[in-house]
Amino acid sequence: MADLKSVAVLIPGPAHPRTVERLEQTFEVIRAERADPSLLSPEQRDRIRGVASFTPVNAACMDALPQLEIVANFGVGYDFVDAPHAGKVGVMVTNTPDVLTEEVADTALGLLLCTARDFCKAEQWVRQGRWEKDGPFPLSRSTLRGRKVGIFGLGRIGQAVARRLEAFGLEVAYHSRRKVEGVDYAYFPSLIELATHVDTLISIAPGTPETEKAVNRQVLEALGPQGIFISMGRGSTVDEDALIAALSDGTIMAAGLDVFRDEPRVPQALIDLPNATLFPHVGSSSQHTRGAMADLQVDNLISWFSANKAVTPVPETAHVVPGTRKG
Ligand code: NAP
Ligand code: 8YV
């Protein structure tokens, strides 16, 4: 492999230890608190050719780094990186698809089970000594049995969730912008039509301007009073105020959320709701899977600088090739 020690790569903010270790073995690493050009010296700004991102990288940051060729994002969702701008100015953006798909799908099913069957509260019942003191844990109001589940975003993770739901004996339907070839699940061309058809909705769509607050009051009303909503994609896709209202007044029965609009800040109103199950964005967070994500992030940087191509480019920058950076 080519000697890449003269290539400067910025790591803004806290990073996965495996990313840091492998990047330090291979590149010249520059660390900064965040991807803010004012935290870098003019000399550093002129030399940085790659960014390993864990925190937002905006258009201004890209424009302030004239030699920047690639932003390698940690995570399959890259909503914090301005990929459309990168595509325009000839900067490659990569993400970490596939290596986390099954882990996130496992988590989605775990969250669905906890939400439908109150398993988080049941576990606390034992720890608090209430089983012995107060007797059996109350029967759960809801069940997965007989549920129709709608998936918002039948992509890589959505399909892995659907396979698990099939094994659970549940009916599956979905909404994406396009029909997915090779699957038998019922397709609905709009989210509201999907929500009307099902009583359980799992959102695993990306955070984009188009999906902003897509899960709104009308969608939750369509889900109905037996409705369960599971949020695994991005918090931005949910109107959180509408969700809080729907959980408070019985418009839907329960919700399980792994992602939030303003992480790690979770609205107190959600924390106070007994019919909300809240996870701290743990979809991919096993040591195994986060290690695989770190490896893919670094592999993208190494491949770009040694073989002139990215391993997993995002669609907005798939056309970018080395040497086409616009100043
Ligand atoms: P993917 O394969 O690209 O799937 C995304 C799906 O969303 C596709 O089916 C896509 O279909 C659909 N979609 C995109 N825009 C849409 C729109 N405007 N309206 C309706 N459907 C839309 O991505 P993935 O690997 O499954 O990951 C999905 C997302 O999960 C990520 O972007 C990330 O935000 C989230 N995620 C969360 C965690 C976690 O820890 N909670 C972990 C990993 C990923 P069409 O293009 O046909 O519309
Ligand atoms: C990570 C995720 O938690 O891949 C994604 O899009 O949301 C998760 O796997 C996140 O990217 C790490 O910051």
Side-chain angles (χ1 to χ4, degrees):
M1 194 180 74
D3 182 5
L4 301 177
K5 271 288 175 194
S6 62
V7 175
V9 172
L10 172 69
I11 306 180
H16 190 284
R18 183 148 179 81
T19 301
V20 178
E21 185 194 327
R22 285 192 63 202
L23 288 182
E24 281 180 346
Q25 279 165 7
T26 313
F27 297 97
E28 179 202 349
V29 168
I30 296 174
R31 305 287 304 251
E33 208 178 301
R34 57 186 181 279
D36 177 348
S38 72
L39 301 175
L40 302 165
S41 68
E43 185 266 341
Q44 287 174 323
R45 288 201 288 268
D46 281 345
R47 276 191 316 110
I48 289 169
R49 294 175 63 193
V51 174
S53 68
F54 295 81
T55 50
V57 181
N58 62 22
C61 176
M62 293 177 199
D63 292 347
L65 305 175
Q67 303 301 324
L68 181 65
E69 295 173 44
I70 175 169
V71 177
N73 186 57
F74 183 84
V76 68
Y78 52 96
D79 40 308
F80 287 135
V81 179
D82 192 336
H85 182 75
K88 276 185 213 134
V89 298
V91 171
M92 170 57 70
V93 176
T94 63
N95 63 347
T96 60
D98 300 318
V99 293
L100 45 60
T101 294
E102 302 299 331
E103 193 83 72
V104 180
D106 290 347
T107 310
L109 266 292
L111 182 53
L112 175 63
L113 280 166
C114 289
T115 306
R117 296 290 317 285
D118 294 335
F119 287 151
C120 297
K121 291 194 194 92
E123 207 260 357
Q124 289 303 311
W125 194 261
V126 179
R127 285 187 188 279
Q128 291 162 358
R130 296 192 63 186
W131 192 7
E132 201 177 340
K133 189 157 64 76
D134 298 331
F137 182 67
L139 306 184
S140 64
R141 275 204 306 149
S142 94
T143 175
L144 288 189
R145 296 305 93 213
R147 281 192 173 269
K148 289 184 187 175
V149 186
I151 299 179
F152 174 28
L154 196 75
R156 290 169 290 241
I157 301 171
Q159 290 178 46
V161 169
R163 288 194 293 274
R164 284 159 175 74
L165 294 170
E166 279 191 89
F168 274 48
L170 302 177
E171 185 182 322
V172 177
Y174 72 102
H175 163 65
S176 315
R177 286 166 301 183
R178 284 168 292 272
K179 231 175 150 175
V180 176
E181 296 300 322
V183 301
D184 290 334
Y185 316 124
Y187 172 70
F188 290 87
S190 73
L191 184 54
I192 193 81
E193 286 168 278
L194 176 68
T196 306
H197 177 77
V198 301
D199 52 27
T200 306
L201 181 67
I202 301 179
S203 176
I204 186 66
T208 65
E210 261 185 296
T211 60
E212 170 77 18
K213 293 192 181 177
V215 179
N216 56 22
R217 188 173 58 81
Q218 289 84 352
V219 168
L220 296 167
E221 279 171 3
L223 213 51
Q226 297 299 314
I228 292 181
F229 171 60
I230 302 296
S231 189
M232 284 301 300
R234 279 292 179 266
S236 63
T237 65
V238 181
D239 180 340
E240 277 182 356
D241 291 337
L243 177 63
I244 290 164
L247 288 167
S248 306
D249 66 15
T251 299
I252 64 168
M253 182 178 267
L257 313 174
D258 187 50
V259 289
F260 302 86
R261 176 163 291 274
D262 185 24
E263 296 173 8
R265 285 159 288 278
V266 176
Q268 190 60 41
L270 271 177
I271 292 172
D272 291 342
L273 279 165
N275 50 351
T277 300
L278 310 174
F279 283 3
H281 200 147
V282 291
S284 65
S285 71
S286 67
Q287 292 180 3
H288 167 88
T289 294
R290 287 289 172 86
M293 291 162 64
D295 276 335
L296 183 51
Q297 181 187 32
V298 175
D299 289 347
N300 267 296
L301 287 160
I302 292 177
S303 176
W304 181 260
F305 288 112
S306 62
N308 290 326
K309 63 178 196 307
V311 184
T312 47
V314 304
E316 293 88 335
T317 64
H319 61 280
V320 173
V321 290
T324 53
R325 174 70 207 267
K326 298 183 185 80

